[in-house]
Amino acid sequence: MIGNWSVARFGVRFGRAGRTVLRSPAPVTYGLITVCCLIFLIGPAAGLNPGYGVGDGLLAAQRAYFHRWGVVPAELFEGAPRAALTPATALFVHGSWVHLLGNMLFLYVFGVMAEERMGRLQFTLFYLGCGYLALLGYAAANDDSTQSLVGASGAISAVLGAFLFLFPAARVTSLLPFLLFLPLRFPAWVVLPFWAALQWVAAGRADQGPGVAYLAHLVGFGVGFGYAWARFGRTTKVSAAPAPAPEGENQP
């Protein structure tokens, strides 16, 4: 499964004066979050639906559910039409509460501004296409694996990559474990490459830790950044909106 983000991020601000970016509605981002949450709540991983049973029965139901809707690399390249759809369906399936909440937090924080910059339709196609390619890339590198792969992290990694290109000066408030989780603000061009470097290191040690598809994170991040560069090039200009009346900072 994809999960375990290495840098917990909960605020984005832009501009030299540290002004908070005023955000317009982002229906696609909010819709993706809603769909992922609803699918998780009615599925066996949430543990809330008594129809899936308890104990060993629940675990068996979870395995069957992930196998049906997730990506199984060993089956993906056999040519079955159903398997070809799994890199898309897997984007809406999550393996645990922590997996879901971590992904949705990142999507909420970074997706809103990316959607506003790209537009609704383009952002939708970008999210689904890059997420598909991220999972496909992981499956191609592990084509003999029979482990089910689920989660939106590949698509969200693409959002991070695009965000880095579109908003490199945005101030990112992060919680870093090795700094005792103190909230610190850094530019996106510092935080996001650092996050990608952590994924690279973790990918090299993937066989020594939990089943997290770090390679899918890297593929998604690279594809997202590359798309933003090719699509927007040097035409990207972002200006900070005036700060509202001083009633405290807006934080997502």
Side-chain angles (χ1 to χ4, degrees), residues 57-75:
L58 177 60
L59 293 177
Q62 291 175 352
R63 287 192 294 268
Y65 186 83
F66 297 149
H67 186 273
R68 178 179 181 182
W69 300 110
V71 177
V72 181
E75 300 177 0

Side-chain angles (χ1 to χ4, degrees), residues 70-82:
V71 177
V72 181
E75 300 177 0
L76 181 59
F77 300 104
E78 293 179 352
R82 187 200 68 80

Side-chain angles (χ1 to χ4, degrees), residues 1-2 65-77 82-91 93 131-132 134-140 142 145-151:
M1 293 178 217
I2 303 178
Y65 186 83
F66 297 149
H67 186 273
R68 178 179 181 182
W69 300 110
V71 177
V72 181
E75 300 177 0
L76 181 59
F77 300 104
R82 187 200 68 80
L85 293 175
T86 55
T89 59
L91 296 176
V93 179
Y132 190 102
L135 297 184
L136 186 65
Y138 176 87
N142 299 272
S145 174
T146 58
Q147 182 178 3
S148 301
L149 180 66
V150 299

Side-chain angles (χ1 to χ4, degrees), residues 31-161:
L32 289 169
I33 292 173
T34 300
V35 170
C36 286
C37 289
L38 289 177
I39 290 177
F40 179 79
L41 290 175
I42 64 177
L48 301 178
N49 190 336
Y52 289 108
V54 296
D56 292 339
L58 177 60
L59 293 177
Q62 291 175 352
R63 287 192 294 268
Y65 186 83
F66 297 149
H67 186 273
R68 178 179 181 182
W69 300 110
V71 177
V72 181
E75 300 177 0
L76 181 59
F77 300 104
E78 293 179 352
R82 187 200 68 80
L85 293 175
T86 55
T89 59
L91 296 176
F92 299 93
V93 179
H94 291 82
S96 68
W97 285 95
V98 173
H99 190 200
L100 173 74
L101 296 177
N103 277 349
M104 295 305 100
L105 174 62
F106 270 72
L107 178 56
Y108 170 72
V109 173
F110 290 98
V112 171
M113 291 174 64
E115 178 183 346
E116 182 178 359
R117 179 65 182 87
M118 294 183 182
R120 298 174 184 177
L121 177 59
Q122 184 177 181
F123 180 77
T124 302
L125 297 176
F126 164 82
Y127 181 91
L128 296 176
C130 291
Y132 190 102
L133 290 176
L135 297 184
L136 186 65
Y138 176 87
N142 299 272
D143 58 357
D144 60 344
S145 174
T146 58
Q147 182 178 3
S148 301
L149 180 66
V150 299
S153 303
I156 298 171
S157 296
V159 174
L160 267 62

